[in-house]
Amino acid sequence: MPDATFTPWLEQARALHRDMLTVDTHCDTPLLLQLKGWDLGKHHPGRTLLGGDMDLVRMKEGGLSAAFFAVFTAQGPRTAGGYANARRQADELLDALDTAFQKHPDLCERALSPEDARRLHERGKRAIFLGMENGYPLGLDLSQLDIYYHRGIRYLTLCHALDNDICAACTFLTDAAMTSRVSADTGLTTFGAQVVKRMNELGMMVDLSHTSAKTVEDVLRLTDVPVIASHSGARAMSDHPRNLTDDQLRAIAASGGVVQALFVPGFLNPDAYDPEGEQVAETLSSKKKAHYSVHPIGSDPAVDAAFEAEYRDMMAKYPPPPATVKDVVDHIDHIAKVAGIDHVGIGSDFDGGGWLADCKDVSEIPNLTAELLRRGYSETDIRKIWSGNLLRVFDEVIAKAIH
Ligand SMILES: [Zn+2]
């Protein structure tokens, strides 16, 4: 927890968050919508299994104006059956999001452009953008991209933890852990090149988080507009394959793009990462999903309490690697130094592994801003980091779209 010397910075940060437009470019909160009875418009306690890291009430509390909610699918077999399954999962998430937006028109709206975010911020409503994490649901059908665009998707993270039909990933996934890729890096595929071109035409941002070194190079050679990394760190600060090298940071900046720093302890502090804990977390998450896809949260308080107890035990036995807002700001400092202050932002990965000892959920994001203030970042720079840079890229991508 922040000590007393931190208090003046925190007060200044809170005041800034009452006024400043803020965008978090990556969170997996839609996964919580798959739990029966979980309500985006209700306040949930932080650092619990069934509460998650983000809801509309805590967004307002922390001063987060806008967020990109990820429509995520895990990579599976590259077969007709696999594609159909991924499409079904993506459709379910998109339907659940539509239902949540319809249920809370007073609290939020689906946002499609920077203009929407600015308008909603003025009105005190949360702006929810949609991004798709992993192009797996496209299969090999480019027309699916248009379908997702028309459902509101405004960025596509080309792949997730494994290669897909679009490109090579920066990692390889085993049962135990996410490791560096083991096979040759094949970069962007022919189909992937068509996807990137069509994204440029549609005005959909290309997201390079999770992609391999050669994919990053191939995309930057091909794209007509700036690209983003919606949730990535700096490799020079922590040596994990999910983080970007200095050359990659410079190349993304040279495209005019932006790198959004993440809050994932295993990427911020890979030395302390425990794959066994990850396995236990996966198992508990699957059990939770199976139970609450049938029984609503709250229908049996004893069962809910048992789940929470299991979660607390797991966190005690396998605590996440120590990571704080200082670690995130170390990455922001480095990206700003190497790529420039106009090319860095924030993509927490809340509800997808984002977890800081002193920023347990979205209600505590002013702690991060306080650390930026403490290190001497100006209000102008902080506004760039919290939304200005990303919205500049987004505006440019839309301006150059030809539909
Ligand atoms: Zn991710």
Short mmCIF file of all heavy atoms in Angstrom, two decimals, residues 26 28 133 160 210 231 242 349, ligand 1:
data_model
loop_
_atom_site.label_atom_id
_atom_site.label_comp_id
_atom_site.label_asym_id
_atom_site.label_seq_id
_atom_site.Cartn_x
_atom_site.Cartn_y
_atom_site.Cartn_z
N HIS A 26 -6.78 -2.83 -23.02
CA HIS A 26 -7.01 -4.28 -23.01
C HIS A 26 -7.48 -4.80 -21.68
O HIS A 26 -6.77 -4.71 -20.68
CB HIS A 26 -5.75 -5.06 -23.42
CG HIS A 26 -6.04 -6.49 -23.72
ND1 HIS A 26 -6.43 -6.93 -24.97
CD2 HIS A 26 -6.07 -7.58 -22.93
CE1 HIS A 26 -6.65 -8.23 -24.94
NE2 HIS A 26 -6.45 -8.66 -23.71
N ASP A 28 -10.05 -8.31 -20.16
CA ASP A 28 -10.79 -9.51 -20.51
C ASP A 28 -12.10 -9.63 -19.75
O ASP A 28 -12.60 -10.73 -19.55
CB ASP A 28 -9.90 -10.75 -20.26
CG ASP A 28 -8.87 -10.94 -21.36
OD1 ASP A 28 -9.28 -11.01 -22.53
OD2 ASP A 28 -7.67 -10.98 -21.06
N GLU A 133 -9.30 -10.43 -29.52
CA GLU A 133 -7.98 -10.97 -29.22
C GLU A 133 -7.87 -12.37 -29.81
O GLU A 133 -8.51 -13.30 -29.31
CB GLU A 133 -7.72 -11.01 -27.71
CG GLU A 133 -6.29 -11.47 -27.40
CD GLU A 133 -5.93 -11.39 -25.92
OE1 GLU A 133 -6.81 -11.58 -25.09
OE2 GLU A 133 -4.74 -11.13 -25.62
N HIS A 160 -3.00 -15.16 -30.61
CA HIS A 160 -2.82 -15.22 -29.15
C HIS A 160 -1.52 -15.97 -28.87
O HIS A 160 -0.51 -15.67 -29.51
CB HIS A 160 -4.06 -15.83 -28.46
CG HIS A 160 -3.99 -15.78 -26.99
ND1 HIS A 160 -4.02 -16.89 -26.19
CD2 HIS A 160 -3.84 -14.72 -26.14
CE1 HIS A 160 -3.89 -16.53 -24.92
NE2 HIS A 160 -3.79 -15.22 -24.86
N HIS A 210 1.37 -10.12 -28.68
CA HIS A 210 1.36 -11.58 -28.88
C HIS A 210 2.01 -12.03 -30.19
O HIS A 210 2.22 -13.23 -30.39
CB HIS A 210 -0.06 -12.19 -28.83
CG HIS A 210 -0.66 -12.25 -27.47
ND1 HIS A 210 -0.26 -13.15 -26.52
CD2 HIS A 210 -1.65 -11.50 -26.89
CE1 HIS A 210 -0.99 -12.97 -25.42
NE2 HIS A 210 -1.82 -11.96 -25.62
N HIS A 231 -1.37 -4.52 -25.32
CA HIS A 231 -0.91 -4.87 -23.96
C HIS A 231 0.42 -5.59 -24.06
O HIS A 231 0.48 -6.78 -24.31
CB HIS A 231 -1.96 -5.68 -23.19
CG HIS A 231 -2.41 -6.97 -23.85
ND1 HIS A 231 -2.88 -7.04 -25.14
CD2 HIS A 231 -2.47 -8.23 -23.37
CE1 HIS A 231 -3.20 -8.29 -25.43
NE2 HIS A 231 -2.95 -9.05 -24.38
N ARG A 242 6.86 -12.09 -24.43
CA ARG A 242 5.69 -11.24 -24.68
C ARG A 242 6.05 -9.74 -24.71
O ARG A 242 5.25 -8.91 -25.11
CB ARG A 242 4.62 -11.50 -23.62
CG ARG A 242 3.63 -12.57 -23.98
CD ARG A 242 2.62 -12.12 -25.06
NE ARG A 242 1.53 -11.33 -24.50
CZ ARG A 242 1.40 -10.03 -24.63
NH1 ARG A 242 2.29 -9.31 -25.30
NH2 ARG A 242 0.36 -9.41 -24.12
N ASP A 349 -4.71 -5.39 -19.06
CA ASP A 349 -5.02 -6.83 -19.05
C ASP A 349 -5.74 -7.23 -17.76
O ASP A 349 -5.66 -8.37 -17.32
CB ASP A 349 -3.76 -7.70 -19.25
CG ASP A 349 -4.09 -9.01 -19.97
OD1 ASP A 349 -5.28 -9.28 -20.22
OD2 ASP A 349 -3.16 -9.77 -20.27
ZN ZN B 1 -3.28 -11.13 -24.20
#
